Amino acid sequence: MKVLIVGSGGREHAIAMSVKKSSQVEKIYCAPGNAGIGEIATCVPIGAMEFEKIRDFAKEEGIDFVIVGMDDPLVGGLVDVLEAAGIKTFGPRKNAAILEGSKAFSKDLMKKYGIPTAAYENFDDAKKAAAYLETAKYPIVLKADGLALGKGVLICNTKEEALEGVKSIMEDKKFGSAGNNMVIEEFMTGREVSVLSYCDGKTIKTMTSAQDHKRAKDGDQGLNTGGMGTFSPSPFYTEEVDAFCKANIYQKTVDAMAAEGRTFKGIIFFGLMLTPDGPKVLEYNARFGDPEAQVVLPRMKNDIIEVMQACVDGTLDQVDLQFEDNAAVCVILASDGYPEHYEKGKAISGLEAFDDKDDYFCFHAGTKKEDGIFYTNGGRVLGVTAKGADLKEARKKAYEATEWISFENKYKRNDIGKAIDEA
Ligand code: AMP
Ligand code: GLY
């Protein structure tokens, strides 16, 4: 079969590598892809938001199955456009992707169905939000309602900071129309865990857990980024936590979406916080995490196409989802200055070191290739990943492998997986 993947990051490279292992797949396309994906797939120069062009390409090329990796096209309704043209597609429809697309929607859903999350209020008016802040407890958390590249969350220690935050989100529109509405919620403490799952609308099967590192600098300092590194599994995601989440969060979310007439098929990513009062949902995403996919997918034993088709067909209950009993660590190699100002177009060397190794992976995020040479082409450049018997071994191997790669202005965090030592 012919598969088309929509997206261009390290996550889509990880998806493409899993798809390549499927015995059913003869050809992979990616729109728009990147230079690393181009080594195993045919990249087509169509943007992820060019829905009609994607649909027409899929029709002309006889694509059998489309996998939408990114949030924007899911929230914008690409799956609906493809399905209407009779193209089998993995990912939630627009009315279900709202689970990620609107934080106000997801908070209201959790409240209505008794799913544990931080206490909150929604606002569509800056004056009302400011009035609420007069009597609120601090610190407090402000969230732009819509998609904001993971940056629309402000943690405010004082009323003054919070008032400034409301102004920047709702009046100055720092995150654009994502800030037309806003959630103000209680500040929670605890460890964060990402749990990704496959859903077919009725059945949900969770994958192995992971933890991201969102801040740019060591010691969780610096600005929020798309993610600077991950490890999987999380040693803090115990059997007890898993049992609690199975009873109170996962199936309840799928059932709630179905009850609302928003049947969810695809990936639900649960961003959890393990608070002193038990696990609570920080956020939902409607897709694989980036760079969570880079540590979760290399450990998945199943044929990814079979699992994804079961999600679309509603037969996920028949799938025995299995992960390797090992660990993986991903360290992002970024361009110095990310997520603010950084240079592009630096030649990358050392990539061939990954070619003949089964438990090392170099997932491309922001790269391009010209005349046989790879160049940096974004803030996050590569996701260097290694598998090991346990987390410590995986971390040691991943950091060793980061030394195989050279490019000017190469930047990485040096403490990805440090929490492993505290487990
Ligand atoms: P989100 O995009 O909702 O996951 O928020 C981004 C990050 O902000 C999370 O990964 C947390 O580190 C932090 N955060 C979000 N909501 C809260 C909260 N209620 N209390 C404490 N930290 C939060
Ligand atoms: N790594 C966090 C995300 O993909 O949202």
Side-chain angles (χ1 to χ4, degrees), residues 15 18 90 195-208 251 254 264-270 288 296-297 300 302-311 316 319 321-323:
I15 293 171
S18 286
F90 178 79
V195 176
L196 282 54
S197 65
Y198 292 101
C199 308
D200 71 355
K202 308 181 295 283
T203 301
I204 176 163
K205 300 233 162 152
T206 51
M207 301 181 223
T208 180
Q251 188 68 47
V254 178
F264 194 106
K265 295 185 176 194
I267 304 286
I268 301 183
F269 167 141
F270 297 86
F288 280 102
V296 168
L297 286 178
M300 189 171 93
N302 304 65
D303 179 322
I304 193 169
I305 294 294
E306 275 176 29
V307 180
M308 289 180 163
Q309 280 185 322
C311 291
L316 189 60
V319 170
L321 190 64
Q322 293 215 359
F323 287 81

Side-chain angles (χ1 to χ4, degrees), residues 212 214 226 269 283 285 287-292:
D212 190 10
K214 291 204 169 91
F269 167 141
E283 64 160 350
N285 294 314
R287 48 162 177 91
F288 280 102
D290 187 341
E292 282 86 347

